Amino acid sequence: MLIENLGRARKALLDSLDGLTEDQLYATPAAGGPSIGQLAHHLQASERATAALVLDALQSRSERVEEKDPSFLAACLQQGCSHDHAVSGRFSGAELIRLLEESRFRDLQSVFNETHERVLAERSTERPLFGRVSLKNLLDTIWIHDELHGKQIAAIKQSLGATA
């Protein structure tokens, strides 16, 4: 289920970026906050960081913890998500899509090359937002994060008059 959720959420995110002009990617939302381009870069950087955390945690012994419900993870992400990964540079839509695909197929794939989803559910790590969380749940945060910011991107697109 994890891999299907990751694939579904990322496809929706990539589809939402398709056809946007650079002006639309970097338009400041009327309500303030990050642009679509900054959100996309934030998601890519967050995914890379999460994959690195999981790979690091796989090297140490840890206990099995009860799986957390995705709605709990989403609520924590919504409260604690910061855009400190956003960079001041600008990337074209094609570059953002390439970065997102690269993080998925290089960084995240390296996790699945190391282990199986079953092992990820048996290992855990401590994270400030979630407490002690399984490595599988930590990877769940990637697709949940994509979905949360996907909704934000859809709202920004609508405010810009871009096709949702």
Side-chain angles (χ1 to χ4, degrees):
M1 188 65 140
L2 173 62
I3 292 172
E4 291 87 3
N5 287 337
L6 287 164
R8 178 188 40 75
R10 183 51 53 93
K11 180 181 179 336
L13 175 65
L14 293 174
D15 288 348
S16 75
L17 299 176
D18 191 38
L20 292 177
T21 66
E22 191 165 333
D23 287 343
Q24 291 169 324
L25 279 172
Y26 292 99
T28 303
S35 68
I36 292 171
Q38 289 171 320
L39 287 169
H41 188 266
H42 163 74
L43 288 168
Q44 177 267 334
S46 295
E47 179 174 61
R48 291 191 75 194
T50 300
L53 284 170
V54 169
L55 286 170
D56 188 52
L58 282 169
Q59 303 307 312
S60 61
R61 284 279 173 225
S62 60
E63 64 204 42
R64 181 180 180 95
V65 295
E66 187 175 323
E67 289 293 304
K68 296 187 186 312
D69 188 86
S71 62
F72 169 80
L73 299 171
C76 291
L77 279 171
Q78 222 160 11
Q79 287 180 352
C81 189
S82 68
H83 304 285
D84 55 354
H85 293 297
V87 295
S88 58
R90 289 166 67 112
F91 298 92
S92 70
E95 289 171 317
L96 285 169
I97 289 171
R98 181 188 55 77
L99 288 169
L100 286 161
E101 288 175 341
E102 186 177 280
S103 68
R104 181 55 49 93
F105 294 113
R106 185 189 67 208
D107 302 312
L108 197 57
Q109 187 59 45
S110 63
V111 170
F112 291 108
N113 288 343
E114 288 292 317
T115 193
H116 187 273
E117 186 176 337
R118 177 180 30 80
V119 174
L120 294 167
E122 295 170 359
R123 296 284 195 62
S124 63
T125 189
E126 188 73 29
R127 298 303 308 148
L129 280 178
F130 313 111
R132 182 144 296 272
V133 64
S134 75
L135 300 183
K136 183 212 167 277
N137 270 159
L138 194 55
L139 290 178
D140 281 329
T141 66
I142 294 171
W143 66 264
I144 293 167
H145 200 197
D146 278 4
E147 285 183 349
L148 288 172
H149 286 311
K151 291 174 185 170
Q152 195 175 359
I153 288 169
I156 295 169
K157 285 175 70 172
Q158 186 174 19
S159 73
L160 296 174
T163 307

